[in-house]
Amino acid sequence: EIKAALPLFGYKNQQVANNEPYYVIFPGARVSIRQWETLKFAQLTELIFHKSGWRGVICGGKDEVKLAEEIKNNSSAPLE
């Protein structure tokens, strides 16, 4: 079970272009042993969404595109 405290890092007023709050995840890691499973990221995005209603933004470089797609495919939370 994943537990998180909200709001994340106190960024209550972060907003996307349409004036809605959002959070950001960075799923990539340079060292594979430090790489978190995409399913855990998906579970975390669902938890954050269900507790806050915020949309998620997945950030990273071109090497993380596959990770982002896997997270989006395994999460029911709105993600960009």
Side-chain angles (χ1 to χ4, degrees):
E1 180 178 311
I2 299 171
K3 295 182 180 180
L6 294 174
L8 297 177
F9 307 109
Y11 294 125
K12 292 181 185 179
N13 297 321
Q14 291 286 27
Q15 298 181 344
V16 293
N18 59 1
N19 283 340
E20 293 181 11
Y22 67 97
Y23 63 92
V24 177
I25 62 170
F26 292 84
R30 289 184 185 212
V31 181
S32 61
I33 196 164
R34 296 183 65 193
Q35 181 69 52
W36 214 29
E37 297 173 30
T38 55
L39 185 56
K40 289 183 180 180
F41 273 111
Q43 292 170 334
L44 179 62
T45 62
E46 290 177 349
L47 175 69
I48 294 170
F49 177 69
H50 291 296
K51 291 195 176 242
S52 68
W54 294 0
R55 298 184 65 81
V57 176
I58 303 173
C59 290
K62 61 183 175 183
D63 294 338
E64 285 89 34
V65 170
K66 184 178 176 186
L67 295 174
E69 289 172 355
E70 288 179 21
I71 294 166
K72 289 175 77 170
N73 290 336
N74 287 298
S75 177
S76 61
L79 298 168
E80 298 177 26

